Amino acid sequence: MNRLTTILLAAVLLEASAVSGAPAGAGSPKPPTMAEVLAASTASDWRPLDPENTLLLDLASGRVVIEMAPFFAPRHVANVKALVREGYFDGLAVVRSQDNYVAQWGDPEAEDAQKRRPIQKAQRTLPAEFTVAVAPGMAFTRLPDVDGYAPEVGFLGGFPAARDPARGRAWLAHCYAMVGAGRENDADSGGGPELYAVTGHAPRHLDRNVTLFGRVVEGIERLSTLPRGTAAMGFYEKAGERAPIRRVRVAADVPAAERPALEVIRTDTATFTALVESRRNRPDEWFKAQARHIELCNVPIPVRPVKK
Amino acid sequence: MNRLTTILLAAVLLEASAVSGAPAGAGSPKPPTMAEVLAASTASDWRPLDPENTLLLDLASGRVVIEMAPFFAPRHVANVKALVREGYFDGLAVVRSQDNYVAQWGDPEAEDAQKRRPIQKAQRTLPAEFTVAVAPGMAFTRLPDVDGYAPEVGFLGGFPAARDPARGRAWLAHCYAMVGAGRENDADSGGGPELYAVTGHAPRHLDRNVTLFGRVVEGIERLSTLPRGTAAMGFYEKAGERAPIRRVRVAADVPAAERPALEVIRTDTATFTALVESRRNRPDEWFKAQARHIELCNVPIPVRPVKK
């Protein structure tokens, strides 16, 4: 069991024990805490990671596991996999860490057409995939809570997302740990060679401005605790300050025993709805005032080890 | 000039130069960017830190500067200063770093009444100061933007805040870098010996549940990049993992030349309103879709070196 999973489970156990030790109130039953919701979940409330849509980003400090979302950004997911499979990222680095914003990785020489790393079969740029068409039957779990950045917010396929019924479009939301493809001024100047993860307060103004294509499901702390770069926008000033990337692989390309054995909660279930409610209004004794609201990026999307 | 200030200024200069290099559009004038708003600000748009309400938290990695908000939490501010002045925090440690949440500092032995550090003249606990009465003439700069956690949000005295006109109460909001006084289950069990700063996505559900009393105005990255603790709630498991506190002082108690020469933007000015608008809808060429909204905790509250 890795460290992050240990933290998650320890926190869950602690919360559960704290609640079980609290006096049972008379009258109406207390709604369940998140720990209780998770403890009561069944196998069908969880889904394993798909190895073909999972990236393993290995830093000196350890592994970052990214779940990709081909529904939202099919071309970007395919291209990032192509880049990974030609070894594009191996030996490159995290080049930028801006406090309360993002960590970004790719080629430190990206700006120099002579020095930058060549791309063999993948694409350097792709048309933007900022939004997708809302399809009939799409399992969008809408939050009833108001959101200032989008007409509707919720979850689609396990990812935080937004929707505009009037325009028939949906898109991924820039919550903590979401992963996207950096770009220059032109909307179609991204594609995969420069990637970033959100490491601070959700920069939702980036929604529909950059192609998001995944979420860090394990190891985000390896990116969020990197020293902040001291050049503009958090870029590292000196090469030695960067965090080298040992290698990146698609989980399907490593032996099964070496793949992360993780499962993610499904977001289109009664269990998930109960989990959201347990966070919207906290039954825990510690809370004196209830928020009666939950903001999209404050909803946890639990990840746990696959039960053997 | 310290590193964080360098980053801020470098980013501002970069943004300004990028804009000045962009072709001037025909027709209606382009609204100013944040860099342009700041460049056009005057001395009266800024206020210096009050040394009597500024804390200097010295870690091995450097200094964290905290501006306190006596308007919102007068007794907590007075008590934290009393704790600081009796040397309570000196030699204690950051005991907890939970990813995407908070860093907390105080006495590692706080749970043990025998081993914990004695308090001389200050108080160990205080009645909660979760909200304050809305006073007539209070310069609350309200954002027109919807918020799910409070009837009204905006800025008061330079701090992100919320207001409920129906109840006549206002309170500080748990945005990134805000500082509060940890407590146990009882609402009145906090007071100052255990403090925390927000280091992740705004946990607004903590609003009106904990006494906030300040904001980190410099050096938040020294807290946000700390290794995450691996015990429950991000506590460090071993003593050696903690980040020791060298000392904490009230800025008024150090020689004037050693005080941080910083000034913070005023939040009740036309300049600040223009700054908010420059972030609500980004005139920068890079943005293709405008948010037409800004969430309270996404509004920057710039800090800069005092001009000599």
Side-chain angles (χ1 to χ4, degrees), chain B residues 230-243:
Chain B
T230 50
M233 298 166 64
F235 279 91
Y236 293 113
E237 294 190 78
K238 298 172 187 167
E241 295 172 339
R242 298 174 193 136

Side-chain angles (χ1 to χ4, degrees), chain A residues 3 7 99 148-149 176 183 185 201-202 205 209-210 224 228-230 282 285-286 288-289 293 295 298, chain B residues 3 7 99 148-149 176 183 185 201-202 205 209-210 224 228-230 282 285-286 288-289 293 295 298:
Chain A
R3 300 185 109 202
I7 294 173
D99 193 65
Y149 288 102
Y176 188 81
R183 65 164 174 86
N185 271 351
H201 184 76
H205 52 280
N209 277 296
V210 206
S224 60
R228 307 320 188 200
T230 50
R282 307 281 185 120
E285 190 188 359
W286 188 89
K288 310 307 176 189
H293 172 80
E295 189 268 325
N298 269 322
Chain B
R3 301 184 110 204
I7 294 173
D99 193 64
Y149 288 102
Y176 188 82
R183 66 164 173 87
N185 272 351
H201 185 76
H205 52 281
N209 277 295
V210 205
S224 60
R228 307 319 188 201
T230 50
R282 306 280 186 122
E285 190 189 358
W286 188 88
K288 309 308 174 188
H293 172 79
E295 190 267 324
N298 269 321

Side-chain angles (χ1 to χ4, degrees), chain B residues 8-305:
Chain B
L8 177 65
L9 288 186
V12 164
L13 292 172
L14 187 86
E15 202 173 342
S17 69
V19 166
S20 64
S28 59
K30 207 171 166 185
T33 62
M34 181 168 85
E36 291 167 335
V37 170
L38 292 177
S41 68
T42 63
S44 63
D45 288 320
W46 300 81
R47 58 184 175 80
L49 292 176
D50 173 3
E52 191 58 44
N53 286 312
T54 302
L55 296 181
L56 312 177
L57 163 62
D58 288 341
L59 305 175
S61 60
R63 178 165 291 174
V64 179
V65 180
I66 298 167
E67 180 181 25
M68 295 189 289
F71 173 80
F72 283 97
R75 296 188 65 176
H76 279 72
V77 168
N79 196 51
V80 168
K81 288 199 288 188
L83 286 163
V84 165
R85 283 173 166 154
E86 69 178 57
Y88 174 79
F89 292 103
D90 302 350
L92 297 181
V94 183
V95 295
R96 173 188 183 196
S97 171
Q98 184 169 355
D99 193 64
N100 192 26
Y101 196 43
V102 299
Q104 182 180 324
W105 59 98
D107 188 349
E109 304 291 352
E111 303 291 311
D112 186 329
Q114 302 305 313
K115 290 186 181 173
R116 69 184 184 188
R117 181 170 291 202
I119 291 175
Q120 313 296 337
K121 295 178 183 171
Q123 303 295 315
R124 190 171 288 280
T125 63
L126 284 177
E129 295 179 297
F130 297 162
T131 66
V132 295
V134 173
M138 189 188 271
F140 187 86
T141 302
R142 185 182 172 191
L143 289 181
D145 310 82
V146 68
D147 184 84
Y149 288 102
E152 296 181 1
V153 291
F155 297 86
L156 205 162
F159 294 88
R163 192 167 67 166
D164 183 347
R167 292 190 173 80
R169 307 297 293 180
W171 57 92
L172 290 170
H174 274 84
C175 295
Y176 188 82
M178 291 296 288
V179 178
R183 66 164 173 87
E184 303 299 321
N185 272 351
D186 189 89
D188 299 337
S189 59
E194 300 290 321
L195 303 177
Y196 68 94
V198 174
T199 56
H201 185 76
R204 294 281 307 282
H205 52 281
L206 298 180
D207 291 2
R208 298 175 295 135
N209 277 295
V210 205
T211 300
L212 288 171
F213 69 94
R215 183 174 82 101
V216 175
V217 292
E218 184 173 273
I220 184 63
E221 76 283 3
R222 303 191 198 289
L223 295 170
S224 60
T225 63
L226 286 173
R228 307 319 188 201
T230 50
M233 298 166 64
F235 279 91
Y236 293 113
E237 294 190 78
K238 298 172 187 167
E241 295 172 339
R242 298 174 193 136
I245 294 172
R246 290 188 170 176
R247 59 183 175 180
V248 181
R249 287 172 298 173
V250 178
D253 298 345
V254 307
E258 296 174 27
R259 296 174 195 162
L262 297 172
E263 53 188 15
V264 183
I265 203 156
R266 292 185 193 275
T267 54
D268 57 351
T269 62
T271 291
F272 187 72
T273 299
L275 182 149
V276 172
E277 178 52 29
S278 76
R279 305 297 277 190
R280 181 183 291 113
N281 293 303
R282 306 280 186 122
D284 321 65
E285 190 189 358
W286 188 88
F287 283 88
K288 309 308 174 188
Q290 294 299 335
R292 304 185 196 288
H293 172 79
I294 190 159
E295 190 267 324
L296 175 67
C297 297
N298 269 321
V299 176
I301 306 173
V303 177
R304 69 177 190 183

Side-chain angles (χ1 to χ4, degrees), chain A residues 103-152:
Chain A
Q104 181 179 326
W105 60 97
D107 188 349
E109 303 291 353
E111 303 291 311
D112 186 328
Q114 303 303 314
K115 290 186 182 173
R116 71 185 182 186
R117 181 170 290 203
I119 291 175
Q120 312 296 338
K121 294 177 185 170
Q123 303 294 315
R124 191 171 287 280
T125 63
L126 284 177
E129 295 179 297
F130 296 162
T131 66
V132 293
V134 173
M138 188 188 270
F140 187 87
T141 303
R142 185 181 172 191
L143 289 180
D145 310 83
V146 68
D147 184 85
Y149 288 102
E152 297 182 3

